[in-house]
Amino acid sequence: MKKIFLVAVAAISMLMTGCSPFSLVNSETYNNADLAAYHTFHIVSPADGELPPGMQMVTYYNIAAAIREQMIMRGYTEDPTSPLLINIGLTVHKEIETEPALPPGYMPYAGPYYNGYYPYFMYPRSAYWANYYQNAQVITGIYKEGVLTMDMVNINEKLPLFSASVATILENGNSQFRNLTGISEAVQTLFSKFPVPIESQYRVLKAQ
């Protein structure tokens, strides 16, 4: 009976994973960063730049809330003076399709892109994304509108630490952003290979 139960649980888990509308596109740590050495963080705000085209404030707040939850569960504390900046980017092909495609190797926006269109970051990526990162994680052919990219940067040193992307935070077949629950699930996927694990007390709560 125990074996049958375990098999059933595994099957349900596989089914749920297979039906997930979200996929991790890339996840990479830069500069041998020890992200566990950071204890605080702050999330980019519209005051640091501007929202990507098509994104409303409610979507920004939902994304920020989901990121905040993931960081707190890993033992970080939010602090507006923290050197650890979490920057948010969005691939918005439809909104910029009249712009010319950027040539290969174009900087400072090399990285995840869709047919030459690069993520629109709230805080300018040019402030920290140097030329030698251009081939660190370039994945082509699978990007589509709505890919959410998250950069973590030591903003005091302009040093990239971590970057990950998830597809897609748009509802299938239209240009509407997902609701809070959907965005929360997407951000869970975004953090699925983050090198700092969720603390034990939160794992217990999520398992209940």
Side-chain angles (χ1 to χ4, degrees):
M1 180 64 70
K2 184 177 180 180
K3 288 183 178 179
I4 294 174
F5 174 75
L6 291 175
V7 170
V9 169
I12 292 170
S13 177
M14 290 176 64
L15 181 61
M16 290 178 66
T17 302
C19 293
S20 173
F22 310 107
S23 58
L24 187 68
V25 178
N26 72 291
S27 183
E28 184 162 348
T29 301
Y30 297 101
N31 298 301
N32 297 313
D34 180 8
L35 286 156
Y38 292 83
H39 304 291
T40 61
F41 71 97
H42 74 280
I43 300 172
V44 67
S45 76
D48 299 313
E50 58 183 351
L51 296 178
M55 181 185 287
Q56 303 298 319
M57 283 298 297
V58 64
T59 303
Y60 162 77
Y61 285 130
N62 288 345
I63 293 171
I67 291 173
R68 183 178 297 110
E69 178 185 39
Q70 291 294 319
M71 293 297 286
I72 289 172
M73 288 194 298
R74 288 167 169 79
Y76 295 89
T77 301
E78 189 167 16
D79 180 350
T81 66
S82 174
L84 179 57
L85 169 69
I86 301 179
N87 195 17
I88 297 170
L90 182 67
T91 305
V92 284
H93 170 236
K94 181 179 294 183
E95 284 79 6
I96 61 173
E97 62 185 356
T98 57
E99 297 294 324
L102 302 174
Y106 177 87
M107 296 308 298
Y109 301 106
Y113 63 93
Y114 172 81
N115 287 345
Y117 296 96
Y118 295 79
Y120 188 107
F121 280 88
M122 291 181 62
Y123 180 85
R125 209 180 201 189
S126 57
Y128 58 84
W129 201 255
N131 188 60
Y132 49 80
Y133 296 115
Q134 67 178 19
N135 294 319
Q137 186 71 50
V138 178
I139 301 176
T140 61
I142 58 175
Y143 277 87
K144 52 187 173 181
E145 188 180 2
V147 172
L148 175 66
T149 300
M150 174 184 71
D151 283 351
M152 293 189 182
V153 188
N154 182 322
I155 200 60
N156 292 349
E157 300 179 12
K158 309 297 185 184
L159 185 69
L161 305 173
F162 178 81
S163 185
S165 300
V166 63
T168 169
I169 64 167
L170 295 180
E171 295 285 359
N172 291 336
N174 60 52
S175 59
Q176 295 298 310
F177 286 95
R178 298 184 186 273
N179 60 20
L180 177 58
T181 299
I183 286 175
S184 179
E185 292 177 7
V187 171
Q188 287 182 42
T189 301
L190 194 66
F191 275 84
S192 59
K193 292 187 178 180
F194 188 68
V196 180
I198 293 175
E199 293 186 336
S200 58
Q201 67 267 32
Y202 294 107
R203 290 199 297 272
V204 171
L205 288 173
K206 291 177 75 68
Q208 292 177 348

